[in-house]
Amino acid sequence: MDNAFAGRVAVITGASSGIGRSLAIVLARSGWRVGLIARRGSALEAVAGEVRAAGGVASVAVADVTDREGLRLAVEGIAGELGPVDLMIANAGVGVPTTLEPVNVEVVEETIRVNVLGVVYAIDAVLPSMLARRSGQIAAISSLAGYLAMPGESAYCASKAAVNAYMASLRVQVRGRGIAVSTICPGFIRTPMTSTMTFMPFALSADQAAARIVRALRRKVKVYNFPLPTVALMSLARWLPEWLLAIAFRDHLENPPMPEGWEPAGQVRGGG
Ligand SMILES: NC(=O)c1ccc[n+]([C@@H]2O[C@H](COP(=O)([O-])OP(=O)(O)OC[C@H]3O[C@@H](n4cnc5c(N)ncnc54)[C@H](OP(=O)(O)O)[C@@H]3O)[C@@H](O)[C@H]2O)c1
């Protein structure tokens, strides 16, 4: 256990699978008490069981991040059980390709609701208390996709670009108020979200990603883009002419990798 963090409280949205689940376990191993939020209660209980089996402390609250009041109550319940929130990681997200004929507008709407408003609501649930205490840390799990407009991923890329801008603005706005703000932009990570994707260069496991993210959060890094080979690849891709980008993404456009069992508009997704 890392004594510097013993007893401190972290809340993670989207803690029922993938990166969120791994973050909960890595943080708990460092002594953080973890509050776990997502829609699937049984999956959250399983993660809480893993945390407790490793000697950690976990509190579970079921909430949809697109429900502002429900999320606020979930965070309040966790704070009541574990104590004031020192670290909020707004991690919950969906990643579903945007189709063309027809445009899956309901998917675009859901993506913006979860990936953008879900982050805003998670921050809103902890910010008043952090401002009053002049202490705290807020992180959003964005994506390198926020830097590159990828064909067939319009909604996802737009949502992550919005998160990047929101966090950058917030960071300056809370300057001098004792609150650290971090934007975390991973490359490809093997999780249920990417289980149907075939092209994932330099992919990391969720555990590897979580270990790197926690190290970056400890250093209160403002923007953390990783892993470096994917950062380099994405930077190069930004200079590609559009005709070449279209060729590079042809397979992605012809066979959009819809996540397994994904259901639009507020329906609980199975699996994962
Ligand atoms: N995997 C990658 O390659 C990658 C790369 C860059 C960034 N990211 C980002 O990392 C974050 C985590 O993704 P992941 O790869 O770990 O995906 P994942 O395994 O599918 O996990 C997504 C998590 O978000 C939760 N969630 C989704 N919609 C929600 C809602 N409306 N309310 C509450 N929770 C909701 C899910 O829980 P429930 O279904 O139980 O609600 C689940 O715990 C996302 O923001 C994603 O965009 C992922």
Side-chain angles (χ1 to χ4, degrees):
M1 185 184 290
D2 186 335
N3 282 332
F5 301 111
R8 298 189 72 194
V9 176
V11 170
I12 304 152
T13 68
S16 60
S17 83
I19 297 171
R21 170 194 163 275
S22 294
L23 281 171
I25 292 166
V26 172
L27 285 168
R29 280 200 203 114
S30 299
W32 289 82
R33 296 147 74 87
V34 289
L36 314 176
I37 295 178
R39 293 166 302 176
R40 288 171 296 158
S42 55
L44 286 176
E45 287 299 347
V47 177
E50 290 185 79
V51 166
R52 290 176 192 131
V57 177
S59 169
V60 162
V62 173
D64 187 321
V65 295
T66 66
D67 170 6
R68 182 183 172 193
E69 182 60 7
L71 183 57
R72 194 189 63 74
L73 289 173
V75 173
E76 197 176 272
I78 289 171
E81 211 178 304
L82 301 182
V85 179
D86 300 295
L87 168 64
M88 165 58 81
I89 306 183
N91 162 76
V94 291
V96 180
T98 309
T99 56
L100 193 60
E101 296 177 296
V103 174
N104 46 1
V105 175
E106 74 287 354
V107 166
V108 178
E109 291 171 338
E110 182 76 346
T111 304
I112 300 297
R113 269 196 292 268
V114 177
N115 293 9
V116 183
L117 291 179
V119 169
V120 174
Y121 298 161
I123 295 170
D124 181 56
V126 294
L127 196 55
S129 156
M130 288 184 178
L131 286 170
R133 288 179 288 134
R134 297 188 67 82
S135 158
Q137 187 170 10
I138 293 169
I141 309 298
S142 183
S143 170
L144 291 182
Y147 301 119
L148 178 70
M150 292 187 281
E153 295 292 341
S154 320
Y156 188 72
C157 293
S159 73
K160 296 303 186 178
V163 168
N164 290 354
Y166 192 89
M167 297 300 279
S169 301
L170 177 68
R171 182 162 41 251
V172 179
Q173 202 168 1
V174 299
R175 234 180 119 77
R177 309 285 295 267
I179 300 168
V181 175
S182 301
T183 314
I184 308 293
C185 295
F188 297 101
I189 314 297
R190 287 185 294 274
T191 69
M193 182 186 282
T194 53
S195 62
T196 55
M197 283 181 65
T198 47
F199 182 67
M200 298 231 294
F202 312 112
L204 301 177
S205 70
D207 287 349
Q208 287 171 321
R212 291 187 188 206
I213 292 168
V214 169
R215 278 200 297 274
L217 291 181
R218 191 169 298 175
R219 290 186 285 119
K220 299 201 166 119
V221 169
K222 290 176 184 168
V223 179
Y224 179 47
N225 301 321
F226 75 103
L228 276 181
T230 318
V231 174
L233 194 69
M234 291 297 221
S235 305
L236 281 176
R238 291 181 65 168
W239 294 95
L240 288 181
E242 288 184 356
W243 63 267
L244 200 51
L245 203 58
I247 291 175
F249 277 82
R250 191 160 52 201
D251 186 52
H252 189 87
L253 293 173
E254 282 169 7
N255 304 295
M258 294 294 172
E260 277 168 33
W262 192 86
E263 307 260 5
Q267 294 182 36
V268 177
R269 165 164 80 98

